[in-house]
Amino acid sequence: MADCYTKQEKAVVVLVENFYKYMSKNILVKNKISKSSFREMLQHELDHMLTNTRSREAADKVIRDLDKNQDGCLDFEEYWSFIEDITRRIANFIRE
Ligand SMILES: [Ca+2]
């Protein structure tokens, strides 16, 4: 990533890149994150910010809540609503 990017630009790029990093390699679920990859993402990327990141049940509940079309995977829009939810919680925390 170019050094000329601002911190905010870099943060947005990381959020988008992480979707593609954890995206399923299975051709049948192309451009989506599978449940197992999402659990992996929670453990590796959000372990300090979220609780229960190592709980399979907790991760599966998050997926069920995010999975609007109920196909068992997260597409980019569903993933982004997860990011939106996290950033909203951080904003609320900072405001308090
Ligand atoms: Ca879905």
Side-chain angles (χ1 to χ4, degrees), residues 38 42 51-63:
F38 185 74
L42 290 179
T51 55
N52 283 339
T53 59
R54 295 179 189 280
S55 160
R56 186 185 179 107
E57 292 75 27
D60 286 350
K61 186 191 178 319
V62 173
I63 292 173

Side-chain angles (χ1 to χ4, degrees), residues 33-87:
I33 300 176
S34 68
K35 283 183 183 179
S36 59
S37 293
F38 185 74
R39 286 193 294 266
E40 195 182 333
M41 176 195 285
L42 290 179
Q43 287 174 18
H44 291 123
E45 311 294 344
L46 294 159
D47 197 33
H48 303 99
M49 200 169 269
L50 301 177
T51 55
N52 283 339
T53 59
R54 295 179 189 280
S55 160
R56 186 185 179 107
E57 292 75 27
D60 286 350
K61 186 191 178 319
V62 173
I63 292 173
R64 275 196 306 276
D65 293 345
L66 292 170
D67 187 12
K68 299 298 177 206
N69 64 353
Q70 300 182 340
D71 65 351
C73 302
L74 300 179
D75 61 23
F76 189 81
E77 282 69 29
E78 292 164 338
Y79 163 76
W80 202 253
S81 71
F82 172 66
I83 298 300
E84 208 177 296
D85 184 53
I86 292 173
T87 53

